[in-house]
Amino acid sequence: MRVGVAFTMEWELPNDNIAKEENRIVIEGPTKEFSTTDKTLQIGRSRLIVNNVDRAKDKGLYVCKVTDHSKKSNSDNKRITILDPNQGFINMSEPSGRYTIKTNS
């Protein structure tokens, strides 16, 4: 977004935000930085940390929603799978993003 635009960032967590209710969440930010390709644009970042992860409660869809001063909003989401400590996972993709290979290791 353009430099100087005020915005907020909010997180929606799986299982009705139970990790928030249990005080296992740390949210850092949002922070702003200039785009490396266009100095008239700023990039907002927020970091979500889940402590004492509970495999059953914390897996699922995480959504980050950004809203600017004029109430325009956008969001991105990621589905998170929680692995056992001794379980590995490999996720490879080629540069075009057309093909992805996922496997347990």
Side-chain angles (χ1 to χ4, degrees):
M1 67 186 69
R2 295 275 173 218
V3 170
V5 172
F7 65 93
T8 60
M9 297 177 85
E10 297 175 354
W11 288 93
E12 296 175 14
L13 286 65
N15 298 314
D16 298 320
N17 291 313
I18 196 162
K20 270 186 191 174
E21 293 170 13
E22 294 177 349
N23 294 314
R24 297 185 293 113
I25 295 296
V26 176
I27 298 175
E28 296 176 354
T31 60
K32 301 176 189 177
E33 59 189 63
F34 288 106
S35 167
T36 58
T37 58
D38 185 343
K39 295 297 182 194
T40 66
L41 299 178
Q42 66 185 350
I43 298 169
R45 296 187 192 276
S46 178
R47 183 174 173 184
L48 172 72
I49 302 167
V50 181
N51 293 306
N52 302 315
V53 172
D54 183 304
R55 191 172 179 188
K57 293 177 183 177
D58 298 329
K59 69 178 180 180
L61 191 66
Y62 286 75
V63 180
C64 180
K65 182 179 178 184
V66 179
T67 305
D68 72 10
H69 66 283
S70 63
K71 305 296 183 205
K72 293 179 185 170
S73 65
N74 200 354
S75 64
D76 194 13
N77 63 70
K78 297 293 179 201
R79 183 159 303 279
I80 302 296
T81 302
I82 300 169
L83 304 176
D84 289 328
N86 60 350
Q87 186 178 8
F89 188 80
I90 298 171
N91 184 354
M92 297 182 291
S93 61
E94 47 83 34
S96 75
R98 187 174 298 166
Y99 301 102
T100 301
I101 301 167
K102 297 179 181 181
T103 185
N104 291 335
S105 62

